[in-house]
RNA sequence: GCCCCUGUAGCUCAAAUGGACAGAGCACUGGACUUCUAAUCCAACGGUUACAGGUUCGAGUCCUGUCAGGGGCGCCA
């Protein structure tokens, strides 16, 4: 936002530095980190240090301060800045607040929901996320994946990428056959109820228990063989039941506000995968050790490394497929279909080595786009005591159970805070708050950090949490509503702003850079933090500055500031996939 | 045995990618509703950034080692 000022300064400062005998210098612009202050900060340490390195006898901190002072004296008075300080080796330039405050607010209001948005980059990024297994549950561990993947997609889109959302469903394998066996055995003819995923999971969990019995296991194996042989009856059942799962997932994605452009199925890449592996064997790339051992590729041999890529098993000794068998053709298919500039796999950290192997294998196969594949790893959601969530162990918190409880609690609070709004509005608010809280918990910690799921923490709506941010948004909208819904078209800002105003305006300027950073690093955390800071800044402003009951000139500029804050809070929440309600 | 991640306030987490006095929330203590929604705000309390070295003008951040926790490593997904 301040490129013009920065460029102008840079020229003048470099001129000064040249006079000091410093020809090559990289200027670094930062924000002044003091609350209530607003402007550009330039550390002079790097320049002093490079002088020291080039043999000049200087003491770096002293020299930095000396340079800062020299530049300050050389610059004299500048129109854009109220005052300039040379302190601790930094050159601090404080904005003339009225002019810049107005520019920030005007820019936000003019650009509206596009404020902070990047130019179209003409680059295509595919993001694969969610990847649930059909016929199974959808638990809180899966939730982190969808929330992270969804937010990353939004960030990339906002940053200017063309994003393709892909999902990859595990629709084949032993778990499916177990499910079908139990269905035929104990639930024949039944249909899913309202909540399809939960129902599917109950049958699966039961199947898994029954499978422990060797007799049942034998029956499952037999059904597996019939299914492999593509017996029409079994295939028909598979398709029908898979559809139930898909509809169940659709319910969940709707609720989460996610949708996909392309859904891949494991079943569609299995055959191509087996063929590909056979070819790799024929070409001498893979070693076929059957019948006693599987088909493998020794990646360290190709990479010239030791214990880095290890051995990847491509096909079981009985000829049946593995994950790797299918992930190779899947990657190829994705590239053929979408010709992406980048392909991101949102998958938990345990698969880091595995994906590294897949990418390496594709490289060995000669696909020059293999370097465009990227594994976005994130840590698990565990239960207290570091217990991993697993349907088979019964150690899971199902998404719909959590969602129902969170919504119920949110609903109670709405009832208490806002008894006069309509029932449907109450439900909408409760859902937005509950879902927002769940999402924010996942997004406001780093991808590399394990989330320990705890009911009390997950359902705590206080403090640094989505409802706090949503509430700030509600307050802003409320003021705007009471003002009559019309904003003054223009308003000049006074030269003296109070601290809360300056802080809030400074926060507004941070959105574009945070979005850029978050998209680049595939890390929504910074935006999550900014959303909270904005809300805090707004609440502080709300508390210290009257908007409606003040003189017209003050009312005018503050109304515009409120509108700008409302916009930026809404945008940052939107990037996190969190709804910004008008009332709560 | 090798590789990856984590270790910051009692608890849960931040920290503009090496910069100014390490910041929030929760919990605890005290205060603020007749004024734009108190799902709010203010104040106080709380730190040798696991430990030991090193690099640097400057290290929570980079390097080496140690300790602790988690994860991964030929036919699970």
């Amino acid at each position: 936002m301040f490129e013009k000022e920065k460029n102008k300064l840079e020229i003048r400062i470099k001129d000064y530095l040249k006079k000091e005998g410093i020809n090559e210098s990289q200027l670094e612009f930062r924000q002044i980190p003091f609350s209530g202050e607003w402007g550009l900060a330039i550390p002079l340490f790097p320049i002093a240090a490079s002088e020291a390195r080039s043999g000049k006898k200087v003491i770096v901190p002293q020299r930095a301060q000396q340079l800062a002072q020299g530049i300050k004296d050389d610059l004299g008075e500048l129109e854009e800045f109220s005052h300039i300080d040379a302190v601790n080796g930094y050159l601090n330039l404080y904005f003339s607040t009225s002019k810049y405050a107005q520019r920030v607010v005007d820019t936000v209001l003019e650009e509206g929901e596009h404020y902070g948005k990047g130019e179209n980059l003409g680059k295509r990024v595919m993001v694969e996320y969610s990847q649930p297994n059909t016929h199974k549950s959808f638990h809180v561990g899966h939730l982190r994946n969808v929330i992270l993947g969804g937010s990353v997609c939004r960030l990339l889109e906002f940053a200017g990428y063309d994003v393709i959302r892909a999902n990859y469903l595990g629709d084949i394998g032993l778990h499916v056959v177990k499910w079908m066996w139990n269905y035929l055995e104990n639930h024949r003819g039944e249909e899913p109820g309202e909540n399809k995923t939960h129902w599917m999971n109950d049958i699966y969990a039961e199947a898994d228990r029954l499978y422990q019995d060797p007799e049942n296991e034998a029956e499952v194996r037999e059904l597996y063989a019939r299914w492999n042989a593509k017996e029409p009856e079994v295939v028909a059942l598979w398709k029908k039941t898979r559809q139930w799962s898909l509809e169940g997932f659709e319910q969940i994605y709707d609720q989460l506000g996610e949708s996909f452009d392309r859904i891949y199925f494991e079943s569609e890449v299995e055959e191509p995968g087996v063929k590909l592996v056979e070819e790799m064997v024929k070409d001498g790339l893979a070693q076929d050790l059957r019948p006693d051992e599987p088909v493998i590729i020794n990646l360290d041999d190709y990479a010239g490394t030791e214990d880095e890529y290890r051995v990847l098993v491509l096909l079981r000794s009985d000829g049946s497929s593995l994950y790797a068998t299918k992930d190779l053709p899947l990657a190829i298919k994705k590239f053929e279909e979408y010709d992406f500039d980048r392909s991101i796999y949102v998958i938990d950290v345990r698969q880091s080595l595995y994906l590294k192997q897949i990418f390496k294998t594709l490289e060995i196969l000669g696909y020059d786009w293999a370097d465009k594949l990227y594994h976005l790893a994130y840590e698990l959601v565990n239960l207290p005591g570091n217990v991993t969530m697993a349907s088979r162990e019964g150690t899971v918190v199902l998404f719909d159970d959590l969602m129902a409880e969170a919504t119920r609690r949110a609903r109670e609070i709405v009832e208490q805070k806002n008894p006069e709004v309509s029932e449907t509005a109450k439900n909408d608010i409760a859902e937005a708050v509950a879902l927002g809280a769940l999402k924010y918990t996942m997004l406001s910690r780093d991808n590399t950090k394990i989330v320990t799921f705890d009911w009390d923490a997950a359902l705590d709506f206080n403090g640094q949490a989505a409802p706090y941010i949503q509430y700030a948004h509600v307050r802003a909208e409320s003021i705007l509503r009471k003002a009559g819904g019309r904003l003054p078209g223009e308003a000049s800002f006074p030269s003296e702003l109070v601290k809360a105003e300056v802080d809030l305006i400074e926060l507004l300027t941070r959105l574009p850079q945070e979005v850029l950073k978050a998209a680049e690093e595939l890390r929504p955390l910074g935006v999550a933090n900014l959303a909270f800071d904005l809300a805090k800044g707004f609440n502080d402003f709300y508390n210290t500055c009257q908007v409606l009951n003040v003189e017209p000139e003050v009312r005018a500029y503050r109304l515009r500031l409120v509108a700008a804050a409302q916009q930026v809070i809404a945008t940052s929440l939107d990037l996190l996939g969190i709804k910004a309600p008008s009332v709560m």
Side-chain angles (χ1 to χ4, degrees):
Chain A
M1 186 169 290
F2 305 114
E3 293 313 312
K4 226 169 57 193
E5 285 72 17
K6 285 182 188 170
N7 290 339
K8 238 166 99 179
L9 275 172
E10 195 155 359
I11 291 167
R12 293 218 29 198
I13 293 173
K14 283 194 171 161
D15 279 350
Y16 173 82
L17 290 175
K18 249 176 223 157
K19 276 188 277 173
E20 284 287 304
I22 303 161
N23 288 316
E24 263 179 89
S25 50
Q26 201 75 32
L27 286 187
E28 196 183 325
F29 289 88
R30 302 172 162 270
Q31 284 146 291
I32 297 172
F34 311 120
S35 157
E37 306 280 16
W38 190 32
L40 302 173
I42 303 168
L44 279 308
F45 296 99
I47 292 164
S50 76
E51 276 191 296
R53 269 196 298 277
S54 69
K56 205 166 162 187
K57 281 220 163 66
V58 294
I59 299 163
V60 173
Q62 279 177 23
R63 178 60 173 161
Q65 175 60 20
Q66 189 191 355
L67 285 169
Q69 187 62 45
I71 296 167
K72 171 183 150 70
D73 293 342
D74 183 65
L75 288 174
E77 296 272 308
L78 290 178
E79 192 197 344
E80 296 90 342
F81 301 96
S82 68
H83 62 291
I84 302 173
D85 272 352
V87 54
N88 293 338
Y90 289 85
L91 184 69
N92 290 340
L93 303 106
Y94 298 88
F95 286 131
S96 309
T97 43
S98 64
K99 189 176 156 194
Y100 284 91
Q102 187 179 345
R103 191 208 289 186
V104 171
V105 170
D106 286 354
T107 305
V108 172
L109 292 179
E110 196 180 306
E111 297 181 6
E113 60 190 19
H114 297 286
Y115 172 67
K117 200 167 184 170
E119 297 287 308
N120 190 331
L121 299 166
K123 295 214 163 159
R124 185 175 288 176
V125 181
M126 173 173 259
V127 182
E128 180 198 296
Y129 63 107
S130 194
Q131 311 113 328
N133 283 329
T134 65
H135 301 77
K136 276 174 113 171
S137 66
F138 197 94
H139 60 66
V140 177
H142 300 117
L143 189 61
R144 185 174 192 179
N145 184 301
V146 181
I147 289 170
L148 174 62
S151 181
V152 163
C153 286
R154 288 181 177 86
L155 285 164
L156 288 170
E157 253 166 6
F158 201 72
Y161 292 94
D162 183 10
V163 175
I164 297 134
R165 290 153 211 255
N167 200 345
Y168 178 44
L169 299 198
D171 64 336
I172 56 174
L174 183 59
H175 73 276
V176 177
V177 181
K178 274 192 221 169
W179 192 98
M180 290 196 291
W181 169 81
N182 188 32
Y183 180 77
L184 290 172
E185 202 73 9
N186 301 309
H187 300 274
R188 193 185 283 264
E190 288 178 25
E191 302 250 334
E194 188 62 28
N195 190 325
K196 297 189 168 88
T197 307
H198 209 135
W199 181 79
M200 297 292 291
N201 180 57
D202 288 346
I203 293 183
Y204 176 74
E206 185 183 37
D208 203 54
R209 269 200 313 279
L210 296 171
Y211 184 73
Q212 305 306 319
D213 183 336
E215 263 182 54
N216 294 334
E217 188 189 329
E219 288 184 35
V220 170
R221 290 280 165 206
E222 193 192 315
L223 185 62
Y224 206 158
R226 289 172 58 200
W227 181 61
N228 261 337
K230 295 199 167 60
E231 273 189 29
E233 217 178 301
V234 183
V235 170
L237 178 65
W238 169 61
K239 283 195 173 155
K240 183 167 134 191
T241 56
R242 182 180 80 164
Q243 187 56 31
W244 289 338
S245 239
L246 298 185
E247 285 163 12
F249 291 152
E250 206 50 48
Q251 291 176 323
I252 292 172
Y253 293 137
D254 270 354
Q255 205 167 12
L256 290 172
E258 294 299 328
S259 64
F260 296 91
D261 303 302
R262 174 70 161 103
I263 295 181
Y264 293 98
F265 292 98
E266 257 188 83
S267 56
E268 70 180 284
V269 282
E270 189 181 31
E271 269 186 37
V274 173
K275 258 184 216 146
L276 179 65
V277 173
E278 301 288 0
E279 272 169 42
M280 288 171 71
V281 170
K282 214 168 9 164
D283 296 343
L285 290 173
Q287 295 164 261
D288 190 348
L289 307 175
R290 288 179 290 181
D292 296 332
E293 286 189 74
V295 180
I296 61 163
I297 177 166
N298 189 334
L299 295 166
D300 280 317
D301 284 355
Y302 289 95
T305 50
E306 203 170 323
D307 275 357
E308 192 181 340
Y309 291 96
R310 306 241 167 199
V311 167
L312 180 62
V313 179
L314 295 168
L315 204 60
R316 283 201 187 91
S317 49
D318 67 3
S320 62
S321 68
L322 292 157
Y323 247 34
T325 325
K326 293 162 283 199
D327 263 315
L328 296 171
L330 175 64
I332 296 166
K333 195 165 190 171
K334 282 175 169 180
F335 187 76
E336 282 171 354
E337 286 181 3
Y338 291 99
D339 190 25
F340 50 71
D341 294 287
R342 203 171 182 208
S343 176
I344 296 165
Y345 292 72
V346 183
I347 301 180
D348 81 62
V349 68
R350 290 175 302 183
Q351 306 212 26
S352 294
L353 174 61
Y354 168 71
L355 285 165
K356 200 169 136 182
Q357 292 178 321
I358 291 293
F359 300 165
K360 192 73 190 173
T361 305
L362 287 162
E363 185 193 314
I364 290 167
L365 283 168
Y367 294 107
D368 57 3
W369 44 263
D371 60 352
K372 294 175 176 174
L373 309 178
Y374 180 79
H375 175 206
L376 174 54
Y378 65 92
E379 266 291 357
L380 301 180
V381 181
N382 285 345
L383 293 167
N386 245 322
V387 176
T388 309
M389 289 206 196
S391 339
R392 96 179 39 224
E393 315 290 340
T395 52
V396 280
V397 177
L398 295 181
F399 167 67
D400 54 78
D401 289 340
L402 174 60
M403 189 60 196
E405 180 60 16
T407 311
R408 196 187 61 75
R409 292 209 198 178
R411 174 66 207 236
E412 255 172 34
I413 300 172
V414 186
E415 196 66 60
Q416 177 194 326
K417 304 280 178 195
N418 244 319
E420 69 278 6
V421 302
S422 74
E423 291 300 301
T424 43
K426 279 179 196 161
N427 290 337
D428 288 350
I429 294 164
E431 192 170 310
V433 168
L435 198 53
L438 299 182
K439 288 189 176 186
Y440 194 84
T441 306
M442 301 274 182
L443 293 173
S444 62
R445 74 195 55 204
D446 225 328
N447 299 339
T448 53
K449 291 257 169 74
I450 294 173
V451 172
T452 301
F453 180 84
D454 174 67
W455 279 95
D456 288 334
L459 298 171
D460 189 358
F461 298 153
N462 295 314
Q464 183 163 1
Y468 177 90
I469 305 164
Q470 291 170 314
Y471 183 62
H473 181 264
V474 164
R475 281 176 144 185
E477 286 222 332
S478 177
I479 290 178
L480 297 172
R481 249 194 327 272
K482 293 224 158 100
R486 277 192 55 203
L487 269 189
E490 205 183 80
S492 56
F493 282 65
S495 54
E496 290 298 312
L497 292 169
V498 301
K499 179 176 172 299
E501 291 172 317
V502 174
D503 285 345
L504 181 56
I505 293 163
E506 193 272 327
L507 283 165
L508 298 179
T509 65
R510 275 171 45 189
L511 182 75
Q513 70 212 45
E514 285 299 340
V515 167
L516 222 67
K517 199 175 89 172
E520 196 176 316
E521 298 176 346
L522 306 175
R523 213 163 67 113
L525 176 62
V527 174
N529 284 339
L530 177 61
F532 175 74
D533 289 344
L534 277 163
K536 196 169 167 53
F538 181 79
N539 277 330
D540 187 22
F541 163 80
Y542 183 94
N543 223 260
T544 46
C545 302
Q546 281 289 311
V547 178
L548 297 177
N549 310 315
V550 289
E551 330 59 292
E553 315 84 64
V554 178
R555 179 187 155 105
Y557 85 79
R558 282 190 179 160
L559 265 179
R560 285 179 65 81
L561 176 54
V562 170
Q566 179 271 325
Q567 176 59 249
V568 179
I569 291 172
T571 301
S572 57
L573 282 177
D574 184 58
L575 289 168
L576 303 173
I578 298 173
K579 283 189 184 137
S582 305
V583 180
M584 66 186 268

